[in-house]
Amino acid sequence: MNIALIAHDSKKELMVQFCIAYCGVLSKHNLCATGTTGKMVAEATGLSVQRYLSGSQGGDQQISARISCNEIDLLLFFRDPISAKPHEPNEANLMRLCDVHNIPVATNIATAEALIHALERGDLDWRDIVNPSAPM
């Protein structure tokens, strides 16, 4: 599976800790991330992470484009719901695209853990049922 990682500044360390904890599961999949998040995760875990631009420079839009092309299967987006972000319209579009393309999304640690455990059990092979022609 292709898994995208995005984290607001105040949630980057949480994303790193999550990836350290679930490194064994994540290592079996293709990871991509926005710039700084990807760098921090790769350095802390040794995982291979394809990095895009930082979110504020369009990295979230690059991931949105991959979602639109059915190239992302799961999004882990650790958001800071308290602080306003200047690129929030891009984030709303990202979430809309996940809904349009039936991409599971975790915006907090609790949901991320539920999704990662489902991934580990093989419960997220839902694309075979929903869209058998979708690329994996």
Side-chain angles (χ1 to χ4, degrees), residues 8-69:
H8 286 155
D9 289 345
S10 63
K11 301 292 182 171
K12 288 189 190 316
E13 187 57 35
L14 180 62
M15 178 66 80
V16 168
Q17 294 303 317
F18 177 85
C19 291
I20 289 170
Y22 294 103
C23 190
V25 177
L26 294 171
S27 68
K28 298 173 185 167
H29 302 279
N30 301 314
L31 304 178
C32 68
T34 49
T36 308
T37 300
K39 179 181 180 197
M40 291 175 69
V41 167
E43 288 176 354
T45 63
L47 292 169
S48 175
V49 181
Q50 179 182 2
R51 290 176 45 210
Y52 293 107
L53 297 171
S54 293
S56 62
Q57 296 177 341
D60 52 345
Q61 292 175 330
Q62 290 176 299
I63 290 175
S64 291
R66 290 200 61 201
I67 290 168
S68 294
C69 296

Side-chain angles (χ1 to χ4, degrees), residues 40-120:
M40 291 175 69
V41 167
E43 288 176 354
T45 63
L47 292 169
S48 175
V49 181
Q50 179 182 2
R51 290 176 45 210
Y52 293 107
L53 297 171
S54 293
S56 62
Q57 296 177 341
D60 52 345
Q61 292 175 330
Q62 290 176 299
I63 290 175
S64 291
R66 290 200 61 201
I67 290 168
S68 294
C69 296
N70 288 316
E71 296 174 354
I72 299 294
D73 302 303
L74 177 69
L75 173 63
L76 302 179
F77 182 5
F78 289 3
R79 300 173 60 222
D80 178 355
I82 305 301
S83 304
K85 308 295 177 288
H87 51 282
E88 277 189 57
N90 295 336
E91 294 172 8
N93 186 53
L94 177 68
M95 302 305 261
R96 182 186 65 77
L97 286 170
C98 287
D99 287 342
V100 168
H101 294 277
N102 291 314
I103 305 301
V105 179
T107 59
N108 58 59
I109 191 76
T111 308
E113 287 188 330
L115 286 177
I116 208 79
H117 288 298
L119 181 64
E120 191 172 28

Side-chain angles (χ1 to χ4, degrees), residues 1 25 28-29 114-129 136:
M1 287 194 134
V25 177
K28 298 173 185 167
H29 302 279
L115 286 177
I116 208 79
H117 288 298
L119 181 64
E120 191 172 28
R121 288 189 310 266
D123 293 346
L124 290 183
D125 293 333
W126 55 271
R127 283 189 184 231
D128 292 334
I129 298 165
M136 290 298 256

